[in-house]
Amino acid sequence: MTAIKYSLLLFTILTTFFTPSAYADYMEVTLLGTGTPKPSIERFGPATVVEVKGRYFIFDSGRGITMRLAQAGIHLSRIEHVFLTHLHSDHISGLSDLWLTSWIWQRPKKLELTGPTGVKALAKHLCLAHQADFTYRTKNTQLDPETYDIISRDIQSEGIVYDQDGITITAFLVNHHPVEPAYGYRIDNGEASVIISGDTTYSDNLIKHAEGVDLLIHEVAAAGTTLLAQNPRLQKVLSYHTTPEQAGRLFKHVQPKAAVFNHVLLFGVDEAAILETTRSAFNGELRMGYDLMRIGVGNNITFY
Ligand SMILES: [Zn+2]
Ligand SMILES: [Zn+2]
């Protein structure tokens, strides 16, 4: 065997068996959307995809999710399961696009949808709302009618909502009052673990469920002092989100290997100031998330 052939063979073996996703206790997280209801080309609506053992799990399905999945190189037909944190419109406005476009791209199974009370009704009404499209596409282009419907499930109480092949997903209550229930999710694959806070203010229950977590993806919101003092509506909005001061205290309790902000809701303050305030309480690894940020979670946390 020539030296070139030998190196090619070695390269193939190494890339086949030793790419990050081949590690047993490994997950790869891609932030698809780190925004809020505010339309922004930089920050699409809230959505995160977690790849574990070749499966793709979506958490929230905000505006533009299919575009970001395409940019991330994830084929829509690979999406198996969507988990919703709560039913605020910014977290679900991309759902019909994700569900229908993955059907058009020949998703082999029905989409599974899990979330708080109201998810079953949401799925039922989405299917009804898009009946005309169902008729056109099953008749004219022979799309599979079997894979159109959504398998939906309302979470009855916090606990494990997915448990297969060593992957567990746990829903736990967070505090987004008056939006109730609102859930955060913890994903475990062997030693590797990730938490997605969903929308919440400071939550003791999140701290309880975050013991030993590797990666904590958490929302953040802040407003300039004068702006806030003059605006009662803004005060209400901030009261059910997490300020950088609260985030710093929470991260200090949890001590994740890394914390990343998403759902970045800022009024008259900049991102650098948010990080600085949070770091005054928490001196661990902290990053401002951005759309298409990829994070490997295994023995170490790797930012790509
Ligand atoms: Zn939101
Ligand atoms: Zn919300």
Side-chain angles (χ1 to χ4, degrees):
M1 191 180 283
T2 65
I4 292 174
K5 272 190 180 165
Y6 180 76
S7 349
L8 271 174
L9 180 66
L10 191 64
F11 176 78
T12 309
I13 291 169
L14 285 173
T15 50
T16 305
F17 295 102
F18 297 99
T19 49
S21 55
Y23 296 139
D25 296 349
Y26 180 83
M27 288 189 259
E28 193 162 281
V29 178
T30 304
L31 307 183
L32 297 169
T34 56
T36 64
K38 182 185 173 193
S40 159
I41 197 67
E42 280 86 29
R43 295 190 184 278
F44 281 16
T48 304
V49 61
V50 180
E51 183 195 350
V52 198
K53 294 178 172 149
R55 297 176 197 176
Y56 293 91
F57 302 96
I58 300 276
F59 296 86
D60 284 332
S61 187
R63 179 192 302 120
I65 183 169
T66 57
M67 312 288 274
R68 291 294 193 225
L69 281 167
Q71 285 180 296
I74 299 169
H75 198 277
L76 288 176
S77 66
R78 301 290 308 276
I79 304 305
E80 297 186 19
H81 212 135
V82 178
F83 297 86
L84 298 178
T85 58
H86 64 299
L87 301 180
H88 260 153
S89 61
D90 52 319
H91 296 252
I92 55 178
S93 59
L95 182 60
S96 18
D97 186 20
L98 178 64
W99 157 58
L100 288 168
T101 312
S102 62
W103 180 54
I104 296 168
W105 256 256
Q106 307 199 322
R107 174 172 25 79
K109 295 190 258 180
K110 290 176 183 169
L111 187 70
E112 295 195 39
L113 181 68
T114 301
T117 308
V119 157
K120 275 183 93 70
L122 174 71
K124 180 181 155 196
H125 293 293
L126 276 180
C127 288
L128 286 171
H130 291 278
Q131 272 302 309
D133 190 50
F134 173 77
T135 309
Y136 304 142
R137 292 189 197 277
T138 49
K139 280 194 178 153
N140 298 347
T141 46
Q142 266 97 55
L143 275 188
D144 186 358
E146 289 296 314
T147 54
Y148 172 81
D149 284 336
I150 301 170
I151 300 173
S152 56
R153 179 163 56 133
D154 285 359
I155 298 171
Q156 300 302 325
S157 60
E158 56 179 11
I160 293 174
V161 289
Y162 182 95
D163 188 0
Q164 277 183 36
D165 304 318
I167 306 165
T168 57
I169 299 176
T170 308
F172 57 88
L173 289 165
V174 289
N175 184 3
H176 195 38
H177 179 78
V179 181
E180 287 169 340
Y183 290 103
Y185 289 98
R186 176 174 176 136
I187 307 103
D188 285 277
N189 176 33
E191 297 287 307
S193 53
V194 174
I195 278 191
I196 296 166
S197 73
D199 286 10
T200 181
T201 186
Y202 186 95
S203 165
D204 287 317
N205 199 41
L206 185 149
I207 295 173
K208 194 178 125 195
H209 284 84
E211 203 182 322
V213 77
D214 293 323
L215 174 66
L216 175 54
I217 298 169
H218 203 287
E219 69 122 275
V220 68
T225 322
T226 318
L227 191 65
L228 193 60
Q230 293 165 350
N231 194 328
R233 184 165 168 259
L234 197 52
Q235 291 162 20
K236 281 215 152 186
V237 169
L238 287 196
S239 73
Y240 67 5
H241 289 293
T242 303
T243 64
E245 292 82 1
Q246 290 173 320
R249 273 198 291 131
L250 186 130
F251 297 164
K252 193 178 170 193
H253 272 291
V254 173
Q255 290 294 325
K257 279 189 195 159
V260 174
F261 280 134
N262 74 346
H263 201 282
V264 184
L265 186 61
L266 305 181
F267 303 90
V269 275
D270 65 28
E271 294 181 3
I274 298 310
L275 290 171
E276 196 186 318
T277 308
T278 311
R279 284 192 178 118
S280 62
F282 174 63
N283 57 13
E285 170 118 59
L286 169 68
R287 306 258 181 140
M288 181 59 71
Y290 57 84
D291 287 20
L292 297 174
M293 177 188 249
R294 274 197 310 138
I295 311 154
V297 183
N299 288 337
N300 301 301
I301 305 282
T302 313
F303 290 87
Y304 299 104

